[in-house]
Structure formats: C-alpha cells, structure tokens
Amino acid sequence: MTGAPDQGGAPVAKGYRRLHGALSTLVRGTALGANATGTLMVLALVVVVNYDMLARTLASRPLHGTIELVQFAMVLIVFLQLPDVIRAGRLTRSDGFLGMLAIRAPRAASLLQRLIDLLSFAIMALLAIASFPLFIEMWHSQDYFGIPGVFTAPWWPIKLTVLASTALCAIIFALKTLRPGPEQEP
C-alpha cells in the first residue's frame, strides 16, 4: 500500500518531463531560428554599410536611407537575438552570489534562481502585453518612419518583432521556472 502513491506519481512525473522537454525543444528551435535571422540581418547590414561607404567614396552617390536602415535593423537584431541569449544563459548579469550560494546551499540557490526566472517571466510577459496594442495600432495606421521620397519603412515589423521576442522570452523564463530538474533548461 505504501508503494502505490509513488508508482502512481511516476507516470505523471514522466509525462510532465516529456511535455516540458517537447515544449523546450520547440522553444529552442524557435529561439535559434530567430537568432539565425538576426545574424543574417547583421551580415546584410554590413553589406549595406559597406556599399554606402564605397558608393560615397568612389562615385559620390550615397545609398539613400542607410541611416534609417541601420536604425531599423539594430532594433530588429537585438530583439531577434534576445530569446536565444536568454535560453542559453548568456544574458549579462552578476551571478557570483548565486555561484557561491550553490556551493554552500544548492537547494537555496536553485530556489532563488527559480524566483529570479519567475520575476523575469513576469517582466517579459508585461512587456509583451504592453507591446500588443502598439503593434495593432501600427498595423492599422500603417505609420512609417524615414524621409518621404528618400526612404520610408512601416513601423509594424519592429513592433511585431518586439511583441514576438518578449513573448518568446516570457515562455523561456516560464520553462526555466517550471523545469523538472535543476540541470535541465529550455
């Protein structure tokens, strides 16, 4: 009789681990894809800036809208690469205290890390919620930035990228908070 609860709980734990693993795999792939897209944008930005420099120097004919393209691309690059940075644990922070705490009290360090991940989830979720109306507004208004007649681009792709990135970051932090074991992360 005493063994029944343990045997009954094992399939639930295995099912939870499988579900968490499947979601983590999906999120990992999405974050890696966004990161790769951001990297390709960096390469495209290098081409645009070099073309502009060569066109200015050799032909006195600059590429119109280079400044606007750089501004547009920088925001996209940051928000495309942020989810993978968080997923991989490469976000800049000071975790010396957590490292020392993990040596002396591993359970306390794990609990504190989950608390930090939970707070980070809340912040990213609030950012995603706040970004949604801005995206909808820009989608409907078709507002743009740039100089008419020289270079213009709509705002909505930036707002959509910020919305999708913050939502994905919130999901990553939620998976980190709810991870079944201390060694597993999304």
Side-chain angles (χ1 to χ4, degrees):
M1 283 279 184
T2 59
D6 291 338
Q7 291 172 357
V12 172
K14 282 184 181 180
Y16 179 75
R17 286 186 184 278
R18 277 194 207 136
L19 177 63
H20 189 275
L23 288 174
S24 294
T25 300
L26 177 64
V27 167
R28 181 180 298 117
T30 305
L32 287 171
N35 191 355
T37 303
T39 301
L40 292 174
M41 288 193 72
V42 169
L43 294 175
L45 198 56
V46 167
V47 170
V48 166
V49 170
N50 282 317
Y51 177 82
D52 181 57
M53 181 193 65
L54 288 173
R56 283 178 192 270
T57 304
L58 300 176
S60 295
R61 304 214 35 137
L63 177 64
H64 295 293
T66 300
I67 294 171
E68 289 82 2
L69 277 172
V70 170
Q71 291 172 341
F72 188 81
M74 292 305 291
V75 174
L76 290 176
I77 290 166
V78 167
F79 280 95
L80 284 169
Q81 293 188 331
L82 182 61
D84 192 49
V85 168
I86 290 170
R87 180 202 61 82
R90 294 187 315 251
L91 191 62
T92 303
R93 64 182 187 174
S94 176
D95 57 357
F97 174 73
L98 275 174
M100 289 186 324
L101 187 61
I103 293 169
R104 294 187 182 264
R107 287 182 186 240
S110 178
L111 181 63
L112 184 58
Q113 182 60 56
R114 286 180 193 251
L115 185 62
I116 292 168
D117 290 337
L118 180 62
L119 181 61
S120 300
F121 159 77
I123 291 169
M124 285 298 173
L126 287 173
L127 286 172
I129 291 167
S131 297
F132 184 72
L134 298 173
F135 163 68
I136 296 297
E137 179 183 337
M138 291 301 152
W139 177 264
H140 289 298
S141 71
Q142 291 297 309
D143 198 12
Y144 62 89
F145 71 94
I147 302 168
V150 178
F151 176 86
T152 58
W155 275 109
W156 71 263
I158 289 177
K159 302 298 183 184
L160 177 61
T161 303
V162 170
L163 171 62
S165 175
T166 54
L168 186 57
C169 289
I171 293 168
I172 290 169
F173 280 123
L175 287 171
K176 285 178 176 267
T177 301
L178 300 172
R179 68 187 174 274
E183 297 299 319
Q184 297 177 351
E185 60 183 23

